[in-house]
Amino acid sequence: MLNIVIFGPPGSGKGTQSARIAKKYDLMHLSTGDMLREEMEKETSLGQKVSEFIDQGLLVPDEIVLKMLYGYMAEHMDSPGFIFDGFPRTIVQAEALDQLLDKHGIPINVVLSVEVEEKELFKRIMGRAEDSGRSDDSVEIAKQRLEVYKRQSLPLIDFYRKQGKIVAINGMEPVDEVFDNISQAIEAVKPV
Ligand code: B4P
């Protein structure tokens, strides 16, 4: 199995690159952001609860995200691997993922840390806002999401650095070039 985590601030291109990675390496694309938005669109009771957090630019509580993710993973354990997009976003989530994968005897092969300057992040989120219809694509909420990222998600870099799994990716380049660099990083860890 090939398991990849893609990590980065909001608007860094995690979703964009994950779709390409999933296609090239035949991996199951697990985007917690997409899963949560689907619940919101279906207007389920979970969706309503989740929107209270997303609309404010806050992280959805760990227990909700973990339960949802476990459900999706359980349905797809026969896939050749996973690309975890936007997950984990907290240390609690990262520890839970390690425990779950350990139980199945499968590792995370690499954690791609996509680095993009703040000014560019805002530019991209505002560009996406034009047609995304996303309730969290506004300047105010984007600022909040960036603060939340720094406070709750950035510590994951150290967490995975200690495991020797972090590879930094320059996310400032055009999409195709970012993908070429990501592909090289994956080839270096891909089981033969
Ligand atoms: P996500 O859905 O993960 O969204 P994101 O971080 O904003 O976007 P991403 O980095 O995927 O950017 P994209 O490819 O679209 O999260 C949304 C919310 O859900 C969170 O704020 C949180 O509330 C909740 N959530 C999700 N996961 C959670 C978890 N694990 N725990 C708790 N809460 C969770 O790229 C952005 C734009 O840039 C696009 O328009 C794209 O076209 C453009 N772009 C991409 N790459 C580019 C490049 N190289 N050059 C120029 N433009 C580029």
Side-chain angles (χ1 to χ4, degrees):
M1 253 185 145
L2 173 64
N3 295 304
I4 299 167
V5 170
I6 187 158
F7 176 83
S12 54
K14 301 182 292 290
T16 306
Q17 296 297 331
S18 295
R20 291 181 171 221
I21 297 168
K23 194 165 171 216
K24 178 167 178 182
Y25 295 98
D26 192 24
L27 304 181
M28 179 71 204
H29 181 185
L30 294 177
S31 159
T32 42
D34 286 349
M35 292 173 199
L36 293 165
R37 278 187 291 278
E38 206 182 302
E39 291 295 331
M40 284 163 65
E41 273 157 32
K42 286 196 284 190
E43 295 181 358
T44 58
S45 58
L46 177 65
Q48 282 168 4
K49 193 163 179 199
V50 155
S51 68
E52 288 168 23
F53 297 94
I54 293 192
D55 292 354
Q56 294 183 69
L58 301 173
L59 292 185
V60 173
D62 291 327
E63 56 277 18
I64 295 181
V65 174
L66 286 169
K67 193 170 164 210
M68 203 178 59
L69 184 96
Y70 289 168
Y72 273 81
M73 280 181 76
E75 279 173 33
H76 298 283
M77 280 314 283
D78 56 345
S79 100
F82 296 104
I83 166 86
F84 296 97
D85 165 12
F87 176 91
R89 260 177 155 99
T90 64
I91 296 285
V92 170
Q93 292 179 14
E95 286 172 344
L97 181 63
D98 274 358
Q99 271 177 25
L100 181 73
L101 294 179
D102 272 357
K103 220 159 65 185
H104 289 278
I106 48 178
I108 292 170
N109 300 82
V110 67
V111 177
L112 304 165
S113 171
V114 186
E115 299 175 349
V116 175
E117 288 167 16
E118 261 184 46
K119 218 170 120 191
E120 174 69 13
L121 294 174
F122 283 105
K123 204 172 114 196
R124 289 184 191 177
I125 292 172
M126 288 309 108
R128 186 175 63 186
E130 282 170 25
D131 53 15
S132 72
R134 276 175 56 166
S135 51
D136 56 349
D137 278 348
S138 69
V139 177
E140 276 315 304
I141 302 298
K143 273 188 196 156
Q144 169 70 1
R145 287 163 62 203
L146 204 60
E147 285 311 308
V148 166
Y149 167 78
K150 287 178 190 164
R151 200 170 55 239
Q152 292 182 264
S153 304
L154 256 189
L156 287 176
I157 296 202
D158 252 4
F159 179 91
Y160 284 120
R161 188 173 285 133
K162 283 184 191 140
Q163 296 188 2
K165 290 187 175 154
I166 283 273
V167 174
I169 301 290
N170 177 5
M172 294 290 287
E173 293 178 357
V175 173
D176 286 344
E177 280 162 41
V178 176
F179 186 61
D180 284 347
N181 292 332
I182 283 180
S183 296
Q184 277 181 31
I186 295 175
E187 294 299 332
V189 298
K190 198 167 121 244
V192 276

